[in-house]
Amino acid sequence: MTLDLFDSDQPGYAQEAPAEGVVLLRRFALESDQSLVTAIESVARQSAFRHMETPGGHVMSAAMTCCGELGWVTDRRGYRYTQNDPQTGEPWPEMPRIFRELAVRAAEAAGFPEFNPDACLINRYRPGAKMGLHQDRDEQDFSQPIVSVSLGLPVVFQFGGARRSDRPMRLPLSHGDVIVWGGKVRRHYHGVLTLRRGAHPLTGDCRYNLTFRKAG
Ligand code: MD3
Ligand code: FE
């Protein structure tokens, strides 16, 4: 179902279901885009974007930072959630209220009225950056969905199945799009293709992705 954007009785977003368990809310974050980017910059002043190392010794091409009670990190020792930013030794910055409210409203719209995220990972992609197919499986509670928010330059998202060998579908994502991943797709393989060069009025040469999870 696609809602009509220009009917004033309807919300300013369009809801799609590209696959079972996947709810795509096109433009859902558009009305708060400026405040979201300002909040990203404020988080990054406290916990800077950094390129983390994987257990296998590769440096990730997306730069990351986190906010909320728990933050996702990777280094040579593995993937895990931490209460403190290993780079500052301080707790991760508080999750901005505008982040939490957006994530909770999106989950609600997708049929998850109880979503209570304690972790927000912020990925920053510059042209050339990508994220290979992987599963998100470092969280405790797989009954809670994941909410992801795209800001800035567009990208092609890859969404596969339960096995790495399942052929992924491609989903173009643009500024303001929000996706809620719940149920069995919560464990499915996914990734993003290489970001193309571009200039976005709000973010310049980058794409941000916010990923909200209940990690603890
Ligand atoms: C589908 N980030 O940080 S978020 C990640 O655009 C990550 O930065 C991507 O994957 C990005 O782990 C995509 C969308 C996403 C997140 C979790 C999922 C899609 C998912 C879990 C299951 C299925
Ligand atoms: Fe992921």
Side-chain angles (χ1 to χ4, degrees):
M1 176 194 57
T2 296
L3 299 172
D4 184 350
L5 265 185
F6 304 105
D7 180 335
S8 61
D9 290 341
Q10 300 293 345
Y13 65 93
Q15 183 160 336
E16 302 172 17
E20 201 191 324
V22 183
V23 177
L24 172 50
L25 306 167
R26 293 271 184 209
R27 298 173 292 273
F28 192 84
L30 211 51
E31 60 182 19
S32 37
D33 62 353
Q34 178 67 70
S35 328
L36 292 167
V37 171
T38 300
I40 292 171
E41 288 162 353
S42 152
V43 167
R45 277 193 296 276
Q46 302 165 72
S47 278
F49 281 102
R50 79 291 305 262
H51 293 273
M52 297 190 210
E53 202 176 354
T54 66
H58 297 283
V59 174
M60 297 190 75
S61 60
M64 299 177 169
T65 186
C66 300
C67 59
E69 281 161 63
L70 292 169
W72 184 86
V73 300
T74 174
D75 59 20
R76 293 309 295 260
R77 286 152 51 207
Y79 307 126
R80 62 198 173 280
Y81 282 92
T82 65
Q83 291 182 305
N84 292 345
D85 176 352
Q87 207 158 265
T88 63
E90 298 291 320
W92 292 106
E94 215 177 304
M95 191 184 296
R97 184 152 58 173
I98 180 154
F99 279 22
R100 173 182 301 281
E101 285 173 354
L102 177 76
V104 168
R105 273 197 301 119
E108 218 163 54
F112 293 93
E114 312 276 64
F115 187 45
N116 182 25
D118 56 12
C120 173
L121 173 66
I122 309 174
N123 295 331
R124 185 189 67 199
Y125 297 81
R126 290 238 156 89
K130 61 180 168 24
M131 189 174 288
L133 278 183
H134 66 278
Q135 294 172 294
D136 289 17
R137 53 179 181 200
D138 304 318
E139 297 75 30
Q140 304 283 344
D141 184 357
F142 288 92
S143 71
Q144 295 256 350
I146 289 183
V147 174
S148 71
V149 179
S150 292
L151 294 166
L153 292 179
V155 78
V156 177
F157 186 79
Q158 284 188 300
F159 174 62
R163 284 165 308 185
R164 184 183 291 282
S165 57
D166 293 335
R167 174 193 276 276
M169 66 180 271
R170 290 179 171 202
L171 202 56
L173 293 180
S174 27
H175 180 69
D177 291 348
V178 177
I179 313 190
V180 182
W181 316 84
K184 79 178 201 309
V185 299
R186 172 67 183 73
R187 293 167 182 276
H188 282 195
Y189 279 88
H190 58 277
V192 303
L193 299 185
T194 305
L195 190 77
R196 304 300 211 95
R197 269 195 310 278
H200 190 275
L202 197 53
T203 66
D205 70 344
C206 74
R207 166 180 187 258
Y208 293 113
N209 185 83
L210 311 176
T211 308
F212 295 90
R213 305 183 175 97
K214 175 80 176 93

